[in-house]
Amino acid sequence: MASHSDHASNEIALERQKEVLSRPMTEARMMANAIRALAIDGVQKANSGHPGMPMGMADVATVLWTKFMKYDAADPHWADRDRFILSAGHGSMLLYALLHLTGYENMSIEDLKQFRQLGSHTAGHPEREEHPAIEMTTGPLGQGISTATGFALAERMLAARFGKSLVDHRTWVIASDGDMMEGVSHEACAIAGHLALNKICVLYDDNSISIDGSTSISMTDDVVKRFIGYGWAAKRIDGHDPVAIEEAIKFAMRSRKPTLIACRTIIGFGAPTKAGTSGTHGSPLGNEEAAAAKALLGWTAPPFVVPAEVLTPWRAAGARGEGARRAWLKRLAGSNRRAEFDAAMAGELPAAYGVAMDALRAKIAETKPALATRVASQMALDAIVPVVPEMVGGSADLTPSNNTFVKSMGTCLPGDYAGRYIHFGVREHGMGTTLNGLALHGGLIPYGGTFFIFSDYCRPAIRLAALMRVRSIFVLTHDSIGLGEDGPTHQPVEHLASFRAMPNVLVLRPGDAMETAECWDVAVQHKDGPVLMVLSRQNMPSLPRDHGAENLSARGGYVVIGAAHQRKATIIATGSEVAIAVEAHAMLAKEGIDVTVSSVPSFELFDKQDAGYRQEVLGEAPRIGIEAAVGYGWDRYLGDNGTFIGMHGFGASAPYQKLYQHFGITAEAVVAAVKAKL
């Protein structure tokens, strides 16, 4: 039932709509009406969707796409194109209409007719893999506007490396009231303001309507003042006045700061009775209202038909960037940095990387250091970051604890983007979205550090990275009760299980310095989704394993110590608990009990191995699993006759050695479990 505030909004909106419609009909408005008509038709045919936002923001999108945005519909992969992000992803018909009208391939009228249908390019929310011109998957509010910070930062960092002749483009965002309410927008937009990312512009659909009614029922903050406080330039305009929109975008392009333009719009603009209400947000208008809306807009074409006199200027707009693209291709062809640029954009690693990684592994094999894996991770970064200029990294205010800084990187600063290290501040979620944007843009391999427990704060960004198969690396230290005295608020117990359950996420939990180097080798070369480097605070001995040329961790699991004669049991462990398994092996050997110790740093990689190899690692004998986390998910390796030694609740505050004893995660417990199976 509509609220009193909704009725009031409706009355005000209809009066304003009447005034806007009384203005002279222009070509720009007819072009915007094409977006509105297609949005109405797509949602009506699907009987599902969100027509209100596309109808409200059509004027803004028309001015942006026809006069300012740098793109060429003939080449959606052009590296120096402007990036457009529809953060308000529920309004996906706006983007699909734009792609069709401007002439992109694989976005035909037939595709629009298949809106929200199985197997179509036109999913309910924009999905990156469905079309090359969709820069990112959006829909969870706050993610688009926040990931845009990473896109804009990538442009600045690559421009600092390759120069303006090869990298000089902008990031445009259409965002909603809901995006502004989500906490992550505060984090990431504060980062953008601090770093003075002046080539990002957010076009805020300031329509004052949410699903529950007027935003006044839940939102009284002044968004413009808030963004000014972040260090942005910000202003309000009439979102249905093409001249005002054009002047505001020119203002943004001159600005030395990131820019927010609050576009005062009417949700469902053109709907004769529902405009300005939540009724147009997430439901079809209905046949009667849809027909009346088209009549009010002066749109007489049949459903899914765009008259030639409207389509022709749209197609011209889609080809407007051809000259700029061809000029850029000539500059690229003549550049002495072309090979380097092409390799970076393709995500290829330089030849020097392999040499550095081999040298690192040889050094570890020779010295066998006993280190916390977070420190071993620092060793790996010290070796590979200097020879891989694409690697950029940072930390959410935990640099000394995460061990993520390499001296040769330099620091990324406001106005000076040559440095490759980013101080994200205590903004784990904003860091996650920024990493995703850096990776999605192309040309960079980003990593960011925090404590494993705080992966909870950036989980939505990790999930979206997984959905998009984005090459983001999360360095997650202090991975268990092994962090000790900070106590249960800082001790992750369920996190390994939860991320192993998330599709397309590669979880790596190395057990010593060699495994850490090998896991970094896997992470840097992995292009098919986010990687979690899960690392310990406490020191660990070097494992008594083969230190040959093969990266054993790349198999996900391997035999650390084989049985001398007949295997009586297999002890399977990850991370810091592999050392406990090795200790238990020695104790059992003294009693003449022959067992195998297997390390499984990655369930995902191990599951991809052939059945014969997995059987070799796991064996037929009873299996004992050991991990300082909950046991959910271990059944697949332990079977019906296995025993899990780990956590069964939250941790506690004490020195970590006492915690392992207290919770029974010890070599003695492993020995007892093995004996119980004999």
Side-chain angles (χ1 to χ4, degrees):
M1 185 175 178
S3 67
H4 175 75
S5 63
D6 216 17
H7 284 303
S9 298
N10 181 217
E11 291 174 8
I12 294 169
L14 292 179
E15 281 300 312
R16 184 167 171 236
Q17 177 171 273
K18 184 177 179 181
E19 185 276 320
V20 173
L21 289 170
S22 70
R23 299 171 189 172
M25 179 63 75
T26 62
E27 182 180 75
R29 199 161 99 203
M30 283 302 296
M31 292 172 74
N33 285 343
I35 296 173
R36 294 184 174 105
L38 290 173
I40 291 170
D41 293 339
V43 173
Q44 281 298 117
K45 187 173 189 304
N47 196 30
S48 173
H50 300 74
M53 192 281 276
M55 295 171 72
M57 283 296 280
D59 296 311
V60 174
T62 298
V63 173
L64 175 64
W65 280 65
T66 61
K67 294 193 173 185
F68 294 99
M69 201 167 81
K70 184 173 73 170
Y71 67 103
D72 183 356
D75 184 6
H77 301 289
W78 175 24
D80 201 38
R81 69 190 181 279
D82 284 0
R83 270 62 170 179
F84 174 77
I85 297 168
L86 186 66
S87 191
H90 55 274
S92 55
M93 273 303 303
L94 174 72
L95 178 55
Y96 303 148
L98 287 165
L99 297 182
H100 168 70
L101 292 167
T102 53
Y104 281 88
E105 288 188 8
N106 297 316
M107 194 56 72
S108 66
I109 282 292
E110 289 306 310
D111 290 308
L112 300 190
K113 289 180 179 179
Q114 292 300 307
F115 178 53
R116 289 185 163 231
Q117 304 308 303
L118 184 64
S120 75
H121 299 306
T122 50
H125 293 82
E127 302 290 345
R128 178 185 177 230
E129 292 190 353
E130 293 298 340
H131 195 281
I134 298 174
E135 300 288 356
M136 69 169 290
T137 297
T138 55
L141 291 176
Q143 291 293 313
I145 186 175
S146 303
T147 305
T149 290
F151 277 92
L153 180 56
E155 190 276 342
R156 293 287 74 200
M157 296 180 92
L158 289 168
R161 179 181 174 189
F162 292 108
K164 188 175 180 179
S165 66
L166 295 184
V167 184
D168 184 16
H169 55 266
R170 296 180 177 273
T171 302
W172 306 94
V173 182
I174 285 182
S176 65
D177 288 306
D179 288 296
M180 299 305 168
M181 294 185 207
E182 289 287 357
V184 67
S185 72
H186 297 245
E187 294 186 25
C189 293
I191 293 169
H194 169 72
L195 290 174
L197 301 179
N198 66 306
K199 299 185 80 174
I200 183 174
C201 176
V202 172
L203 299 157
Y204 164 34
D205 181 18
D206 184 14
N207 62 35
S208 299
I209 291 293
S210 64
I211 291 175
D212 283 356
S214 169
T215 54
S216 64
I217 64 176
S218 60
M219 182 182 184
T220 52
D221 47 313
D222 187 320
V223 173
V224 169
K225 288 182 179 178
R226 190 181 109 200
F227 273 73
I228 290 171
Y230 293 152
W232 289 53
K235 64 188 307 181
R236 287 188 171 87
I237 64 165
D238 177 350
H240 298 299
D241 181 348
V243 174
I245 297 165
E246 186 171 340
E247 289 304 312
I249 293 175
K250 287 178 180 177
F251 163 78
M253 295 179 75
R254 294 191 301 268
S255 176
R256 295 184 179 181
K257 300 177 179 180
T259 304
L260 173 88
I261 302 171
C263 306
R264 191 70 176 142
T265 62
I266 300 168
I267 189 171
F269 179 85
T273 68
K274 295 183 179 181
T277 72
S278 56
T280 67
H281 169 78
S283 303
L285 295 183
N287 292 330
E288 187 176 328
E289 185 85 359
K294 288 183 179 182
L296 199 58
L297 294 168
W299 189 265
T300 58
F304 294 106
V305 173
V306 181
E309 64 269 22
V310 180
L311 187 59
T312 298
W314 266 119
R315 291 293 160 89
R320 184 174 50 86
E322 181 184 5
R325 180 174 64 88
R326 292 188 181 279
W328 179 85
L329 286 170
K330 288 181 180 178
R331 293 197 300 275
L332 178 65
S335 172
N336 59 6
R337 307 287 298 279
R338 178 178 181 176
E340 189 182 351
F341 180 84
D342 286 344
M345 294 306 295
E348 298 171 2
L349 295 171
Y353 167 76
V355 175
M357 180 53 70
D358 289 345
L360 172 65
R361 293 183 67 231
K363 178 181 177 181
I364 292 171
E366 179 183 355
T367 59
K368 298 181 175 58
L371 301 170
T373 52
R374 62 172 177 147
V375 178
S377 174
Q378 177 81 70
M379 283 182 61
L381 290 172
D382 285 343
I384 63 179
V385 166
V387 298
V388 185
E390 292 77 24
M391 288 187 73
V392 298
S395 171
D397 198 51
L398 288 169
T399 297
S401 296
N402 297 148
N403 298 89
T404 41
F405 180 65
V406 177
K407 290 181 181 178
S408 63
M409 296 176 81
T411 301
C412 181
L413 299 169
D416 180 4
Y417 309 101
R420 292 192 279 152
Y421 195 78
I422 306 154
H423 291 286
F424 290 102
V426 188
R427 303 183 183 103
E428 295 88 357
H429 199 174
M431 177 181 73
T433 59
T434 302
L435 294 179
N436 288 348
L438 289 165
L440 284 165
H441 179 281
L444 299 170
I445 304 172
Y447 67 88
T450 186
F451 288 176
F452 192 26
I453 192 74
F454 300 136
S455 62
D456 282 341
Y457 286 156
C458 50
R459 184 177 297 268
I462 296 173
R463 185 180 188 275
L464 209 58
L467 189 60
M468 295 186 286
R469 297 183 181 272
V470 171
R471 193 182 190 180
S472 300
I473 302 172
F474 293 83
V475 181
L476 303 170
T477 69
H478 298 61
D479 67 346
S480 70
I481 59 169
L483 74 84
E485 292 85 347
D486 277 340
T489 60
H490 283 55
Q491 293 166 2
V493 293
E494 77 278 22
H495 298 66
L496 283 166
S498 68
F499 282 116
R500 287 169 181 156
M502 191 179 287
N504 304 335
V505 175
L506 179 56
V507 181
L508 304 173
R509 189 175 188 240
D512 73 347
M514 181 62 81
E515 284 194 359
T516 304
E518 291 177 338
C519 286
W520 263 111
D521 189 28
V522 170
V524 169
Q525 299 196 58
H526 187 71
K527 298 182 180 181
D528 200 32
V531 178
L532 309 189
M533 290 286 296
V534 182
L535 306 169
S536 75
R537 176 180 185 257
Q538 73 273 32
N539 289 340
M540 288 175 230
S542 179
L543 298 176
R545 49 157 282 186
D546 175 29
H547 286 162
E550 183 184 358
N551 181 334
L552 296 176
S553 298
R555 289 198 167 204
Y558 66 95
V559 173
V560 177
I561 309 173
H565 302 289
Q566 183 182 1
R567 185 188 307 200
K568 300 294 186 182
T570 303
I571 307 170
I572 309 164
T574 79
S576 46
E577 288 69 67
V578 183
I580 295 174
V582 170
E583 184 183 350
H585 176 278
M587 294 167 66
L588 289 162
K590 288 180 181 179
E591 298 187 40
I593 301 172
D594 209 3
V595 301
T596 291
V597 172
S598 295
S599 173
V600 187
S602 173
F603 284 20
E604 296 81 18
L605 294 177
F606 187 59
D607 288 346
K608 291 180 180 179
Q609 305 305 307
D610 64 75
Y613 179 77
R614 293 199 307 272
Q615 191 60 36
E616 176 187 329
V617 173
L618 299 176
E620 296 286 356
R623 301 166 186 172
I624 312 299
I626 176 170
E627 188 171 66
V630 298
Y632 191 85
W634 271 85
D635 292 354
R636 73 227 257 189
Y637 299 144
L638 300 183
D640 294 337
N641 193 35
T643 298
F644 178 75
I645 295 171
M647 297 296 293
H648 301 279
F650 292 114
S653 176
Y656 79 90
Q657 299 92 335
K658 292 186 177 181
L659 290 175
Y660 272 85
Q661 289 287 336
H662 175 74
F663 290 108
I665 306 174
T666 63
E668 290 79 8
V670 176
V671 168
V674 170
K675 288 181 176 180
K677 296 294 183 183
L678 299 180

